[in-house]
Amino acid sequence: MNQSITLPVKEQPYYQAFLLSLFALFVCGAVAAFSALTKESIVARNIEDTQRQLVQVLPQSLYDNMPSQEEITLTMDGKPTHFFRARKAGVASGVALFADTTGYSGTIHLLLGIDANGTLTGVRVLSHTETPGLGDNIDLAKSNWVLNFNGKSLKQPDEKGWHVKKDGGEFDSFTGATITPRGVVKGVHEALMLFQRHQNEFLDHKGS
């Protein structure tokens, strides 16, 4: 007669499968726990990084909230418009607005601070691919050129002034590189006009 051989419990297939499942559950639980622990700190770091970026274009005297926590995207003129809203005593006091323009070598990404009256409180170039030593003077790390936008608005200068000097406007261009500053001036001007057209939406005002 054939006699069946009974394996020890630890060698049974079902036991091995049980151990494997238990290990998988442990790993998944550990990953979930680690993710939960780190998620909050990652979010906090992202908020801090964004706030440091925003404070470059929005003076802290303009708000008492955390603009980095009031991030908004609205469709304006048929395109998504991304911005952060600043408030003081609960009232919208300005925005930090993202805008794109075209330079000599490609897209230039901008961040603009605009107060509730439509006056620029700061402009920064976030990224670009302009020619090193020429067009990259739009970067604050290379020159102070971008600071010339501080305090400007659609009223100061007037429409004619919103061009580089080579085109009859108020803004300097760079030696050997006119296209880049021309593009930035155009982009900033267009962003101010967008703000003017949609001021109620930017500032969360009701009615017309």
Side-chain angles (χ1 to χ4, degrees), residues 83-169:
F83 64 97
F84 294 87
R85 185 181 287 138
R87 294 182 184 274
K88 193 160 190 177
V91 179
S93 55
V95 298
L97 170 64
F98 291 92
D100 292 340
T101 189
T102 302
Y104 179 77
S105 301
T107 301
I108 299 171
H109 301 284
L110 305 170
L111 179 64
L112 302 86
I114 307 173
D115 71 15
N117 297 315
T119 299
L120 286 165
T121 56
V123 174
R124 293 293 184 275
V125 174
L126 298 179
S127 64
H128 66 87
T129 55
E130 301 303 284
T131 306
L134 293 173
D136 63 348
N137 281 326
I138 56 175
D139 192 330
L140 184 59
K142 301 292 184 179
S143 81
N144 291 329
W145 179 83
V146 75
L147 300 181
N148 290 314
F149 290 107
N150 294 357
K152 298 292 194 296
S153 68
L154 292 179
K155 295 180 180 179
Q156 178 59 41
D158 58 17
E159 179 73 23
K160 183 179 179 181
W162 275 100
H163 299 278
V164 294
K165 290 180 178 178
K166 188 175 182 179
D167 299 330

Side-chain angles (χ1 to χ4, degrees), residues 30-93:
V31 170
F34 180 77
S35 178
L37 289 172
T38 58
K39 182 178 180 181
E40 186 174 340
S41 63
I42 290 173
V43 170
R45 282 200 303 273
N46 287 339
I47 290 174
E48 290 174 1
D49 290 343
T50 301
Q51 189 66 24
R52 280 194 292 269
Q53 195 174 54
L54 298 183
V55 78
Q56 294 186 55
V57 297
L58 288 174
Q60 291 179 300
S61 59
L62 192 66
Y63 56 88
D64 54 19
N65 71 326
M66 286 281 286
S68 58
Q69 295 181 335
E70 193 162 347
E71 186 175 2
I72 301 159
T73 299
L74 297 176
T75 299
M76 297 179 180
D77 298 348
K79 297 187 298 184
T81 301
H82 187 56
F83 64 97
F84 294 87
R85 185 181 287 138
R87 294 182 184 274
K88 193 160 190 177
V91 179
S93 55

Side-chain angles (χ1 to χ4, degrees), residues 170-189:
E170 285 195 8
F171 296 89
D172 292 327
S173 54
F174 312 138
T175 302
T178 301
I179 295 176
T180 300
R182 181 185 285 148
V184 174
V185 171
K186 181 175 182 289
V188 173
H189 185 229

